Amino acid sequence: MNAFAVFGRGAIALLAEIGAMSIFALRGAFAWVTGPFYTRAFLSAALRIGFNSLPVVGLTAIFTGAALALNIYDGSLRFNAETFLPQILSVSIVRELGPGFAALMVAGRSSSGMAAELGAMRVSDQIDAMSTLAVDPYKYLVAPRILATTLMMPFIVLAADIIGIFGGWLVAVFALEFEGATYIRNIDQFLTAEDVGTGLVKAAVFGFLISVMGCYYGYKSRGGAQGVGAATRSAVVASAVAILASNYVMTSLFVDF
Amino acid sequence: MSDAPKIAIRGLKKSFGAKSVLKGIDLDVRQGSSLVVIGGSGTGKSVLLKCVLGIIQPDAGEILIDGDNLLKLSAFDRRRRAREIGMLFQGSALFDSLSVWENVAFRLIHGEGKSRREAREKAIECLAKVGLAADVGALQPAELSGGMQKRVALARAIAADPNILFFDEPTTGLDPITADVINRLII
Ligand SMILES: Nc1ncnc2c1ncn2[C@@H]1O[C@H](COP(=O)(O)OP(=O)(O)OP(=O)(O)O)[C@@H](O)[C@H]1O
Ligand SMILES: [Mg+2]
């Protein structure tokens, strides 16, 4: 087989996969409109994704903020701009690192969790059983998870932003001898609602992508424990790629000169 | 209405790759009657049921319920049709994130919009029919033995009083006495 055919086949398979995912995601959007809406399933998904992600996202954010403060200080010292540390740090976090890191952590946690849970349900006939019980498994299992993740991500990212800026503040005040109140005032005067808002829009998009990937691979998984393992792996990899790619696209749209 | 079969299957075929499993099945089931399909392991009994339920798409043939070909119905009509069918899966397929009574009441609560209290009473009633005490209802499926899981799955299949009931090996893994109770219940 020549290399051209291999490449072509791969490209076609990739496009077919993206198409199937898009249809899957559209069905998700359509399911909220047509109902029925399963409130309990939604609330439990929201609690699991939103609340239970906070510790790991918080830890990531505080260390990211702290390391970022050191790096920005060290870099900006070279042209005597170190007093701008609070501004640079806060804008980096709310626009880019808060949404990005939080989404990657949630992808590792929830996308894999959804893929494993739905995958196990699929291979043990539970999803088929649900459809014989007059409940559309798509509406009961998939739609609430997609909606919950999309709605919860902005809150998670807001928490990550605050904790990340706090991590930077700790380093700045205790290691770099900044004055705590001035640091906060600088951020307050500099940061715009747009900086924060675009980060939160990113967060919602990331949440949508994470849950679509997790549900898609879980829902379609085949072939026992091995199939569930493969679904989990694909879900995490695909959501990480989707997050980073869509992040670039959104950033280039938001940074409009 | 009376002499038309409730379920009629005509020339049903299904193969997986090169392996053909169903090779043109014809059968009729009349209203109010029972039909048992017997066959060796791996001969396609479960596949046949899954075709009728719409879980597996057959390659050829017709499946008629009350004279309507299921394979020609729209997805919406098909789903409405599926509502009159109850199914016991070979592997039980209980929802492991829900307690036993929520499993049994699943269709009543989520499919038919009954209140949780009402559905719970009905679920306990159905559990009693398959010989399980009310306190089993509060357990998780993983805490039950295989035979108990099967009985819970049976209770779940009959909870909404469907017109058509499919059982995929309802008594495998049960002791002869319980199996007898289940067989009586089915008939
Ligand atoms: N999803 C599938 N993909 C490929 N082959 C399948 C699939 N499902 C079933 N088969 C094949 O179809 C054949 C019939 O399977 P089926 O589960 O219907 O058997 P069965 O009659 O129910 O057997 P048992 O009594 O052991 O439950 C088997 O040989 C199996 O390998
Ligand atoms: Mg079988």
Side-chain angles (χ1 to χ4, degrees):
Chain A
M1 213 190 309
N2 64 34
F4 204 65
V6 173
F7 180 77
R9 204 157 293 157
I12 290 170
L14 181 70
L15 288 178
E17 186 90 346
I18 291 174
M21 260 176 214
S22 312
I23 292 170
F24 190 85
L26 280 179
R27 272 184 75 187
F30 195 58
W32 307 330
V33 181
T34 55
F37 186 75
Y38 296 105
T39 316
R40 273 177 99 88
F42 168 74
L43 290 178
S44 102
L47 187 71
R48 236 176 332 158
I49 294 151
F51 191 70
N52 298 351
S53 294
L54 281 179
V56 63
V57 169
L59 272 176
T60 317
I62 201 160
F63 287 123
T64 308
L68 192 62
L70 290 178
N71 270 324
I72 292 174
Y73 186 79
D74 190 51
S76 52
L77 207 55
R78 294 178 204 163
F79 42 95
N80 301 321
E82 70 277 9
T83 48
F84 293 119
L85 165 72
Q87 289 90 330
I88 300 174
L89 177 119
S90 60
V91 80
S92 316
I93 286 185
V94 301
R95 281 192 180 189
E96 190 72 40
L97 296 174
F101 276 108
L104 289 173
M105 292 314 281
V106 174
R109 235 189 126 264
S110 300
S111 188
S112 58
M114 288 178 209
E117 199 179 346
L118 297 191
M121 292 187 76
R122 165 65 73 194
V123 300
S124 62
D125 283 341
Q126 290 178 50
I127 292 184
D128 291 334
M130 194 172 281
S131 62
T132 69
L133 294 167
V135 173
D136 183 346
Y138 196 89
K139 289 181 180 167
Y140 185 83
L141 295 171
V142 178
R145 282 174 167 80
I146 294 181
L147 186 62
T149 318
T150 308
L151 290 181
M152 293 314 283
M153 265 314 278
F155 291 102
I156 297 173
V157 166
L158 199 58
D161 288 349
I162 294 167
I163 297 170
I165 289 175
F166 174 66
W169 181 88
L170 284 179
V171 168
V173 170
F174 291 106
L176 305 175
E177 294 173 343
F178 275 74
E179 211 262 307
T182 319
Y183 184 98
I184 299 291
R185 198 171 326 109
N186 282 343
I187 293 181
D188 183 43
Q189 283 167 359
F190 173 74
L191 216 54
T192 66
E194 204 189 321
D195 292 328
V196 181
T198 53
L200 298 184
V201 171
K202 280 183 177 182
V205 172
F206 294 159
F208 179 77
L209 292 171
I210 289 168
S211 50
V212 166
M213 299 301 169
C215 293
Y216 174 81
Y217 284 105
Y219 205 77
K220 308 262 151 160
S221 69
R222 288 280 176 277
Q226 203 181 3
V228 177
T232 312
R233 205 159 47 234
S234 308
V236 175
V237 172
S239 26
V241 172
I243 287 167
L244 297 172
S246 68
N247 180 50
Y248 173 73
V249 174
M250 283 189 283
T251 306
S252 64
L253 292 176
F254 292 149
V255 185
D256 180 23
F257 302 105
Chain B
M1 162 95 199
S2 60
D3 50 321
K6 180 79 180 164
I7 307 173
I9 295 177
R10 297 278 172 267
L12 194 68
K13 288 190 182 141
K14 176 72 194 174
S15 24
F16 293 103
K19 181 172 178 184
S20 88
V21 176
L22 304 179
K23 301 166 196 158
I25 294 198
D26 298 297
L27 60 82
D28 287 338
V29 187
R30 294 191 181 284
Q31 177 92 40
S33 71
S34 309
L35 175 82
V36 179
V37 178
I38 301 177
S41 175
T43 46
K45 304 180 294 291
S46 300
V47 170
L48 173 64
L49 282 181
K50 286 183 178 176
C51 283
V52 180
L53 287 167
I55 294 167
I56 292 179
Q57 191 67 30
D59 301 330
E62 296 184 330
I63 300 167
L64 306 148
I65 292 187
D66 293 329
D68 297 328
N69 189 351
L70 283 193
L71 304 174
K72 294 230 170 75
L73 292 180
S74 69
F76 178 79
D77 286 333
R78 196 158 177 182
R79 217 168 301 131
R80 217 183 44 201
R81 266 303 151 72
R83 281 169 188 254
E84 57 171 337
I85 303 178
M87 164 81 179
L88 168 63
F89 281 82
Q90 188 167 2
S92 296
L94 297 176
F95 306 127
D96 39 31
S97 58
L98 300 177
S99 69
V100 166
W101 82 263
E102 285 173 313
N103 262 281
V104 177
F106 191 84
R107 179 171 181 162
L108 300 171
I109 296 173
H110 299 294
E112 295 171 11
K114 292 224 164 43
S115 77
R116 289 176 69 83
R117 256 219 6 246
E118 198 183 337
R120 185 182 178 133
E121 275 164 24
K122 178 89 206 242
I124 302 284
E125 220 173 90
C126 291
L127 284 173
K129 280 191 203 161
V130 295
L132 291 170
D135 54 351
V136 173
L139 299 175
Q140 295 294 313
E143 296 172 295
L144 304 181
S145 74
M148 287 164 90
Q149 290 181 5
K150 193 133 243 182
R151 285 188 275 162
V152 173
L154 178 60
R156 182 174 72 177
I158 60 176
D161 301 315
N163 293 333
I164 302 172
L165 267 169
F166 292 135
F167 302 106
D168 196 352
E169 316 216 2
T171 57
T172 38
L174 295 182
D175 63 275
I177 299 171
T178 318
D180 204 43
V181 173
I182 300 292
N183 283 333
R184 269 169 222 284
L185 194 67
I186 291 172
I187 296 163

